[in-house]
Amino acid sequence: MNFYAFHIGDYSAHTKQLSLMEDLAYRRMLDHYYLTESPLPDAKKTARAICMRDQLEEVQAVLDEFFMLTDDGYIHDRCEREIKAFNEKSGKAKASAQMRWSKPRNANVHKSQCEG
């Protein structure tokens, strides 16, 4: 995903206790999660992926507080819901476009009217 809705109020309400470095790590983790649409790896690999190798302690603290460790890596419930909704919407739009373009063309429409 190259875009996700960022709800400032929700974020602020859940992150007031974070230090500046933890806050930065969390935002970068969210961006990385949405960009890759996959769980985050261990703290060391995640810190490297978000360019925060020197803040490994903060990265681990954020992973522990906001993410859940699974066999696939660290997942984030809200991210998973947003990605699923995005993919469902995208799939519906693709199916709609395919149906629209698979319909027989109207013989009365000039070619120049269809291009563009």
Side-chain angles (χ1 to χ4, degrees):
M1 292 176 54
N2 289 317
F3 168 83
Y4 65 93
F6 181 73
H7 303 279
I8 298 168
D10 289 348
Y11 183 84
S12 180
H14 292 100
T15 60
K16 289 183 188 280
Q17 76 283 4
L18 299 179
S19 71
L20 290 175
M21 284 295 116
E22 289 171 337
D23 184 60
L24 177 62
Y26 188 38
R27 284 302 311 269
R28 288 185 176 186
M29 285 183 211
L30 290 175
D31 289 349
H32 186 71
Y33 201 104
Y34 283 116
L35 189 62
T36 63
E37 296 185 25
S38 60
L40 299 175
D42 62 71
K44 189 173 181 179
K45 289 179 183 174
T46 297
R48 181 176 171 84
I50 64 170
C51 302
M52 293 187 72
R53 282 180 231 124
D54 295 336
Q55 288 78 30
L56 188 57
E57 186 177 320
E58 288 86 351
V59 169
Q60 186 64 61
V62 171
L63 285 171
D64 292 341
E65 185 170 350
F66 295 100
F67 294 81
M68 184 173 62
L69 182 59
T70 67
D71 292 338
D72 297 326
Y74 286 91
I75 63 168
H76 191 280
D77 286 338
R78 182 161 188 169
C79 292
E80 289 295 319
R81 287 192 312 269
E82 296 289 338
I83 291 168
K84 182 180 177 185
F86 174 81
N87 288 332
E88 287 174 356
K89 185 177 179 180
S90 178
K92 288 177 184 177
K94 183 177 179 180
S96 176
Q98 286 175 339
M99 279 183 45
R100 182 174 58 248
W101 290 108
S102 66
K103 290 181 181 178
R105 294 187 181 256
N106 184 340
N108 295 326
V109 176
H110 295 289
K111 186 174 182 178
S112 62
Q113 290 175 321
C114 294
E115 295 176 350

Short mmCIF file of all heavy atoms in Angstrom, two decimals, residues 66-111:
data_model
loop_
_atom_site.label_atom_id
_atom_site.label_comp_id
_atom_site.label_asym_id
_atom_site.label_seq_id
_atom_site.Cartn_x
_atom_site.Cartn_y
_atom_site.Cartn_z
N PHE A 66 3.02 -2.59 21.02
CA PHE A 66 1.99 -2.38 20.00
C PHE A 66 1.80 -3.53 19.00
O PHE A 66 0.84 -3.53 18.24
CB PHE A 66 2.29 -1.10 19.20
CG PHE A 66 2.21 0.14 20.03
CD1 PHE A 66 3.36 0.74 20.52
CD2 PHE A 66 0.98 0.72 20.34
CE1 PHE A 66 3.30 1.88 21.28
CE2 PHE A 66 0.91 1.86 21.11
CZ PHE A 66 2.07 2.44 21.59
N PHE A 67 2.70 -4.48 18.99
CA PHE A 67 2.64 -5.57 18.04
C PHE A 67 2.55 -6.90 18.77
O PHE A 67 2.92 -7.00 19.94
CB PHE A 67 3.88 -5.56 17.13
CG PHE A 67 3.95 -4.36 16.23
CD1 PHE A 67 4.43 -3.14 16.71
CD2 PHE A 67 3.55 -4.43 14.91
CE1 PHE A 67 4.50 -2.02 15.89
CE2 PHE A 67 3.61 -3.32 14.08
CZ PHE A 67 4.09 -2.11 14.57
N MET A 68 2.06 -7.91 18.08
CA MET A 68 1.94 -9.24 18.67
C MET A 68 2.86 -10.19 17.90
O MET A 68 2.81 -10.27 16.67
CB MET A 68 0.49 -9.72 18.58
CG MET A 68 0.27 -11.06 19.26
SD MET A 68 -1.48 -11.55 19.33
CE MET A 68 -1.90 -11.65 17.61
N LEU A 69 3.69 -10.90 18.64
CA LEU A 69 4.62 -11.83 18.02
C LEU A 69 3.88 -13.11 17.61
O LEU A 69 3.18 -13.72 18.42
CB LEU A 69 5.77 -12.17 18.97
CG LEU A 69 6.84 -13.10 18.44
CD1 LEU A 69 7.50 -12.54 17.18
CD2 LEU A 69 7.88 -13.39 19.51
N THR A 70 4.04 -13.49 16.35
CA THR A 70 3.46 -14.73 15.83
C THR A 70 4.58 -15.51 15.15
O THR A 70 5.72 -15.04 15.09
CB THR A 70 2.36 -14.43 14.79
OG1 THR A 70 2.94 -13.84 13.63
CG2 THR A 70 1.28 -13.52 15.36
N ASP A 71 4.24 -16.66 14.60
CA ASP A 71 5.22 -17.45 13.87
C ASP A 71 5.73 -16.72 12.62
O ASP A 71 6.84 -16.97 12.16
CB ASP A 71 4.62 -18.80 13.45
CG ASP A 71 4.35 -19.70 14.65
OD1 ASP A 71 4.98 -19.48 15.71
OD2 ASP A 71 3.51 -20.60 14.54
N ASP A 72 4.90 -15.82 12.08
CA ASP A 72 5.28 -15.08 10.87
C ASP A 72 6.04 -13.80 11.17
O ASP A 72 6.56 -13.16 10.27
CB ASP A 72 4.03 -14.73 10.06
CG ASP A 72 3.31 -15.96 9.55
OD1 ASP A 72 4.01 -16.95 9.23
OD2 ASP A 72 2.08 -15.95 9.48
N GLY A 73 6.07 -13.37 12.42
CA GLY A 73 6.71 -12.12 12.81
C GLY A 73 5.76 -11.30 13.67
O GLY A 73 4.76 -11.81 14.17
N TYR A 74 6.06 -10.03 13.81
CA TYR A 74 5.23 -9.14 14.62
C TYR A 74 4.09 -8.58 13.78
O TYR A 74 4.33 -7.94 12.75
CB TYR A 74 6.07 -7.99 15.17
CG TYR A 74 6.99 -8.39 16.29
CD1 TYR A 74 8.29 -8.80 16.03
CD2 TYR A 74 6.57 -8.35 17.62
CE1 TYR A 74 9.15 -9.17 17.06
CE2 TYR A 74 7.42 -8.70 18.66
CZ TYR A 74 8.70 -9.12 18.38
OH TYR A 74 9.53 -9.48 19.39
N ILE A 75 2.86 -8.82 14.22
CA ILE A 75 1.70 -8.30 13.49
C ILE A 75 1.04 -7.19 14.30
O ILE A 75 1.19 -7.10 15.52
CB ILE A 75 0.67 -9.40 13.14
CG1 ILE A 75 0.08 -10.03 14.40
CG2 ILE A 75 1.28 -10.44 12.23
CD1 ILE A 75 -1.13 -10.89 14.13
N HIS A 76 0.30 -6.35 13.59
CA HIS A 76 -0.43 -5.23 14.20
C HIS A 76 -1.88 -5.37 13.75
O HIS A 76 -2.16 -5.34 12.54
CB HIS A 76 0.18 -3.92 13.71
CG HIS A 76 -0.30 -2.72 14.44
ND1 HIS A 76 -1.51 -2.12 14.16
CD2 HIS A 76 0.27 -1.99 15.43
CE1 HIS A 76 -1.67 -1.08 14.94
NE2 HIS A 76 -0.61 -0.97 15.73
N ASP A 77 -2.80 -5.53 14.70
CA ASP A 77 -4.20 -5.81 14.36
C ASP A 77 -4.82 -4.75 13.45
O ASP A 77 -5.47 -5.09 12.46
CB ASP A 77 -5.05 -5.93 15.63
CG ASP A 77 -4.81 -7.24 16.37
OD1 ASP A 77 -4.34 -8.21 15.74
OD2 ASP A 77 -5.07 -7.29 17.58
N ARG A 78 -4.63 -3.49 13.78
CA ARG A 78 -5.26 -2.44 12.96
C ARG A 78 -4.68 -2.42 11.55
O ARG A 78 -5.40 -2.27 10.57
CB ARG A 78 -5.10 -1.07 13.60
CG ARG A 78 -5.81 0.00 12.77
CD ARG A 78 -6.07 1.23 13.54
NE ARG A 78 -6.90 2.13 12.78
CZ ARG A 78 -7.46 3.19 13.29
NH1 ARG A 78 -7.29 3.47 14.56
NH2 ARG A 78 -8.19 3.99 12.55
N CYS A 79 -3.36 -2.58 11.44
CA CYS A 79 -2.73 -2.62 10.12
C CYS A 79 -3.31 -3.78 9.31
O CYS A 79 -3.62 -3.61 8.12
CB CYS A 79 -1.22 -2.79 10.23
SG CYS A 79 -0.35 -1.38 10.92
N GLU A 80 -3.46 -4.93 9.93
CA GLU A 80 -4.01 -6.09 9.24
C GLU A 80 -5.43 -5.81 8.73
O GLU A 80 -5.77 -6.15 7.60
CB GLU A 80 -4.00 -7.32 10.15
CG GLU A 80 -2.62 -7.88 10.40
CD GLU A 80 -1.95 -8.45 9.16
OE1 GLU A 80 -2.63 -9.10 8.34
OE2 GLU A 80 -0.74 -8.21 8.99
N ARG A 81 -6.25 -5.17 9.57
CA ARG A 81 -7.62 -4.84 9.15
C ARG A 81 -7.62 -3.85 7.99
O ARG A 81 -8.38 -4.00 7.03
CB ARG A 81 -8.42 -4.26 10.33
CG ARG A 81 -8.81 -5.28 11.37
CD ARG A 81 -9.85 -4.73 12.36
NE ARG A 81 -9.54 -3.42 12.90
CZ ARG A 81 -8.85 -3.21 14.02
NH1 ARG A 81 -8.39 -4.22 14.72
NH2 ARG A 81 -8.64 -1.97 14.45
N GLU A 82 -6.77 -2.82 8.07
CA GLU A 82 -6.71 -1.81 7.01
C GLU A 82 -6.21 -2.41 5.70
O GLU A 82 -6.73 -2.09 4.63
CB GLU A 82 -5.80 -0.65 7.44
CG GLU A 82 -6.29 0.14 8.63
CD GLU A 82 -7.51 1.00 8.35
OE1 GLU A 82 -7.76 1.33 7.17
OE2 GLU A 82 -8.21 1.35 9.32
N ILE A 83 -5.21 -3.25 5.77
CA ILE A 83 -4.68 -3.90 4.56
C ILE A 83 -5.73 -4.81 3.94
O ILE A 83 -5.92 -4.81 2.72
CB ILE A 83 -3.38 -4.68 4.89
CG1 ILE A 83 -2.25 -3.70 5.22
CG2 ILE A 83 -2.99 -5.60 3.73
CD1 ILE A 83 -1.02 -4.35 5.83
N LYS A 84 -6.44 -5.56 4.78
CA LYS A 84 -7.49 -6.45 4.28
C LYS A 84 -8.59 -5.64 3.59
O LYS A 84 -9.03 -5.98 2.49
CB LYS A 84 -8.08 -7.27 5.42
CG LYS A 84 -9.13 -8.24 4.98
CD LYS A 84 -9.68 -9.05 6.15
CE LYS A 84 -10.79 -9.97 5.67
NZ LYS A 84 -11.43 -10.68 6.76
N ALA A 85 -9.03 -4.56 4.22
CA ALA A 85 -10.08 -3.72 3.63
C ALA A 85 -9.61 -3.10 2.32
O ALA A 85 -10.37 -3.06 1.34
CB ALA A 85 -10.48 -2.62 4.62
N PHE A 86 -8.36 -2.64 2.28
CA PHE A 86 -7.81 -2.07 1.06
C PHE A 86 -7.79 -3.09 -0.07
O PHE A 86 -8.19 -2.80 -1.20
CB PHE A 86 -6.40 -1.54 1.32
CG PHE A 86 -5.70 -1.04 0.09
CD1 PHE A 86 -5.95 0.22 -0.41
CD2 PHE A 86 -4.80 -1.86 -0.59
CE1 PHE A 86 -5.31 0.68 -1.56
CE2 PHE A 86 -4.17 -1.42 -1.74
CZ PHE A 86 -4.41 -0.15 -2.22
N ASN A 87 -7.32 -4.30 0.24
CA ASN A 87 -7.24 -5.34 -0.78
C ASN A 87 -8.62 -5.78 -1.27
O ASN A 87 -8.80 -6.06 -2.45
CB ASN A 87 -6.43 -6.53 -0.28
CG ASN A 87 -4.95 -6.22 -0.19
OD1 ASN A 87 -4.44 -5.39 -0.94
ND2 ASN A 87 -4.26 -6.87 0.72
N GLU A 88 -9.59 -5.84 -0.37
CA GLU A 88 -10.96 -6.18 -0.77
C GLU A 88 -11.54 -5.11 -1.69
O GLU A 88 -12.14 -5.41 -2.71
CB GLU A 88 -11.85 -6.37 0.46
CG GLU A 88 -11.57 -7.65 1.21
CD GLU A 88 -12.36 -7.77 2.50
OE1 GLU A 88 -13.08 -6.81 2.88
OE2 GLU A 88 -12.24 -8.83 3.14
N LYS A 89 -11.33 -3.85 -1.33
CA LYS A 89 -11.83 -2.74 -2.15
C LYS A 89 -11.14 -2.74 -3.51
O LYS A 89 -11.78 -2.55 -4.55
CB LYS A 89 -11.59 -1.41 -1.44
CG LYS A 89 -12.17 -0.21 -2.14
CD LYS A 89 -11.96 1.05 -1.34
CE LYS A 89 -12.52 2.25 -2.07
NZ LYS A 89 -12.32 3.48 -1.32
N SER A 90 -9.85 -2.97 -3.51
CA SER A 90 -9.09 -3.01 -4.75
C SER A 90 -9.56 -4.15 -5.64
O SER A 90 -9.70 -4.00 -6.86
CB SER A 90 -7.59 -3.15 -4.44
OG SER A 90 -6.84 -3.23 -5.62
N GLY A 91 -9.83 -5.30 -5.03
CA GLY A 91 -10.31 -6.45 -5.79
C GLY A 91 -11.67 -6.19 -6.42
O GLY A 91 -11.92 -6.56 -7.57
N LYS A 92 -12.55 -5.54 -5.66
CA LYS A 92 -13.87 -5.21 -6.19
C LYS A 92 -13.76 -4.22 -7.34
O LYS A 92 -14.46 -4.34 -8.35
CB LYS A 92 -14.76 -4.64 -5.09
CG LYS A 92 -15.22 -5.67 -4.08
CD LYS A 92 -16.04 -5.03 -2.97
CE LYS A 92 -16.40 -6.06 -1.92
NZ LYS A 92 -17.14 -5.45 -0.80
N ALA A 93 -12.89 -3.23 -7.21
CA ALA A 93 -12.71 -2.24 -8.27
C ALA A 93 -12.15 -2.90 -9.53
O ALA A 93 -12.57 -2.58 -10.65
CB ALA A 93 -11.78 -1.12 -7.80
N LYS A 94 -11.23 -3.82 -9.36
CA LYS A 94 -10.64 -4.52 -10.50
C LYS A 94 -11.70 -5.37 -11.21
O LYS A 94 -11.78 -5.36 -12.43
CB LYS A 94 -9.49 -5.41 -10.03
CG LYS A 94 -8.78 -6.12 -11.15
CD LYS A 94 -7.61 -6.93 -10.64
CE LYS A 94 -6.91 -7.65 -11.77
NZ LYS A 94 -5.77 -8.44 -11.29
N ALA A 95 -12.52 -6.07 -10.43
CA ALA A 95 -13.59 -6.89 -11.02
C ALA A 95 -14.59 -6.02 -11.76
O ALA A 95 -15.04 -6.37 -12.85
CB ALA A 95 -14.28 -7.70 -9.93
N SER A 96 -14.92 -4.87 -11.19
CA SER A 96 -15.85 -3.94 -11.83
C SER A 96 -15.28 -3.43 -13.15
O SER A 96 -15.99 -3.36 -14.16
CB SER A 96 -16.14 -2.77 -10.89
OG SER A 96 -16.96 -1.83 -11.52
N ALA A 97 -14.02 -3.08 -13.16
CA ALA A 97 -13.38 -2.60 -14.39
C ALA A 97 -13.34 -3.69 -15.44
O ALA A 97 -13.58 -3.43 -16.63
CB ALA A 97 -11.97 -2.10 -14.09
N GLN A 98 -13.05 -4.92 -15.03
CA GLN A 98 -13.02 -6.02 -15.98
C GLN A 98 -14.39 -6.26 -16.58
O GLN A 98 -14.51 -6.52 -17.78
CB GLN A 98 -12.49 -7.29 -15.31
CG GLN A 98 -11.01 -7.26 -15.05
CD GLN A 98 -10.52 -8.47 -14.28
OE1 GLN A 98 -11.28 -9.16 -13.61
NE2 GLN A 98 -9.22 -8.72 -14.37
N MET A 99 -15.44 -6.18 -15.77
CA MET A 99 -16.80 -6.35 -16.29
C MET A 99 -17.13 -5.24 -17.28
O MET A 99 -17.71 -5.48 -18.33
CB MET A 99 -17.82 -6.33 -15.14
CG MET A 99 -17.95 -7.65 -14.43
SD MET A 99 -19.22 -7.64 -13.15
CE MET A 99 -20.59 -6.84 -13.94
N ARG A 100 -16.75 -4.00 -16.92
CA ARG A 100 -17.05 -2.86 -17.78
C ARG A 100 -16.38 -3.01 -19.14
O ARG A 100 -16.98 -2.77 -20.17
CB ARG A 100 -16.61 -1.57 -17.09
CG ARG A 100 -16.93 -0.32 -17.90
CD ARG A 100 -16.61 0.97 -17.12
NE ARG A 100 -15.23 1.06 -16.70
CZ ARG A 100 -14.82 1.01 -15.43
NH1 ARG A 100 -15.69 0.86 -14.46
NH2 ARG A 100 -13.55 1.11 -15.12
N TRP A 101 -15.13 -3.43 -19.16
CA TRP A 101 -14.39 -3.52 -20.41
C TRP A 101 -14.66 -4.80 -21.17
O TRP A 101 -14.32 -4.90 -22.35
CB TRP A 101 -12.89 -3.35 -20.15
CG TRP A 101 -12.59 -1.94 -19.75
CD1 TRP A 101 -12.24 -1.51 -18.51
CD2 TRP A 101 -12.67 -0.77 -20.57
NE1 TRP A 101 -12.08 -0.14 -18.50
CE2 TRP A 101 -12.34 0.34 -19.76
CE3 TRP A 101 -12.99 -0.55 -21.91
CZ2 TRP A 101 -12.32 1.64 -20.24
CZ3 TRP A 101 -12.97 0.75 -22.38
CH2 TRP A 101 -12.64 1.83 -21.56
N SER A 102 -15.31 -5.77 -20.54
CA SER A 102 -15.62 -7.01 -21.26
C SER A 102 -16.97 -6.94 -21.97
O SER A 102 -17.30 -7.81 -22.76
CB SER A 102 -15.60 -8.20 -20.30
OG SER A 102 -16.65 -8.09 -19.36
N LYS A 103 -17.76 -5.89 -21.70
CA LYS A 103 -19.05 -5.73 -22.37
C LYS A 103 -18.83 -5.44 -23.85
O LYS A 103 -17.86 -4.77 -24.23
CB LYS A 103 -19.84 -4.58 -21.74
CG LYS A 103 -20.34 -4.88 -20.36
CD LYS A 103 -21.13 -3.70 -19.83
CE LYS A 103 -21.61 -3.99 -18.42
NZ LYS A 103 -22.35 -2.85 -17.87
N PRO A 104 -19.74 -5.92 -24.71
CA PRO A 104 -19.61 -5.61 -26.14
C PRO A 104 -19.75 -4.11 -26.37
O PRO A 104 -20.53 -3.43 -25.71
CB PRO A 104 -20.75 -6.38 -26.79
CG PRO A 104 -21.60 -6.90 -25.70
CD PRO A 104 -20.89 -6.75 -24.41
N ARG A 105 -18.98 -3.63 -27.29
CA ARG A 105 -19.01 -2.19 -27.59
C ARG A 105 -20.27 -1.82 -28.36
O ARG A 105 -20.78 -2.59 -29.16
CB ARG A 105 -17.79 -1.79 -28.41
CG ARG A 105 -16.51 -1.96 -27.63
CD ARG A 105 -15.37 -1.39 -28.43
NE ARG A 105 -14.13 -1.55 -27.71
CZ ARG A 105 -13.51 -0.57 -27.08
NH1 ARG A 105 -14.01 0.64 -27.11
NH2 ARG A 105 -12.40 -0.79 -26.45
N ASN A 106 -20.71 -0.63 -28.15
CA ASN A 106 -21.88 -0.11 -28.84
C ASN A 106 -21.44 0.26 -30.26
O ASN A 106 -20.54 1.06 -30.46
CB ASN A 106 -22.41 1.12 -28.09
CG ASN A 106 -23.68 1.66 -28.69
OD1 ASN A 106 -24.00 1.39 -29.85
ND2 ASN A 106 -24.42 2.39 -27.89
N ALA A 107 -22.11 -0.30 -31.24
CA ALA A 107 -21.73 -0.07 -32.63
C ALA A 107 -21.94 1.38 -33.05
O ALA A 107 -21.35 1.83 -34.03
CB ALA A 107 -22.54 -0.99 -33.54
N ASN A 108 -22.79 2.12 -32.35
CA ASN A 108 -23.08 3.51 -32.72
C ASN A 108 -22.04 4.49 -32.17
O ASN A 108 -22.07 5.67 -32.49
CB ASN A 108 -24.47 3.91 -32.21
CG ASN A 108 -25.55 3.11 -32.90
OD1 ASN A 108 -25.42 2.76 -34.07
ND2 ASN A 108 -26.60 2.81 -32.17
N VAL A 109 -21.12 4.03 -31.34
CA VAL A 109 -20.12 4.90 -30.76
C VAL A 109 -18.91 4.93 -31.68
O VAL A 109 -18.40 3.92 -32.08
CB VAL A 109 -19.71 4.40 -29.35
CG1 VAL A 109 -18.60 5.27 -28.79
CG2 VAL A 109 -20.92 4.41 -28.43
N HIS A 110 -18.48 6.13 -32.01
CA HIS A 110 -17.31 6.27 -32.86
C HIS A 110 -16.06 5.95 -32.06
O HIS A 110 -15.99 6.21 -30.86
CB HIS A 110 -17.23 7.69 -33.42
CG HIS A 110 -18.35 8.02 -34.33
ND1 HIS A 110 -18.50 7.49 -35.58
CD2 HIS A 110 -19.43 8.84 -34.13
CE1 HIS A 110 -19.60 7.96 -36.15
NE2 HIS A 110 -20.18 8.79 -35.28
N LYS A 111 -15.06 5.46 -32.75
CA LYS A 111 -13.82 5.08 -32.09
C LYS A 111 -13.21 6.26 -31.33
O LYS A 111 -12.71 6.11 -30.23
CB LYS A 111 -12.82 4.55 -33.10
CG LYS A 111 -11.57 3.99 -32.49
CD LYS A 111 -10.69 3.36 -33.54
CE LYS A 111 -9.46 2.76 -32.87
NZ LYS A 111 -8.59 2.08 -33.79
#
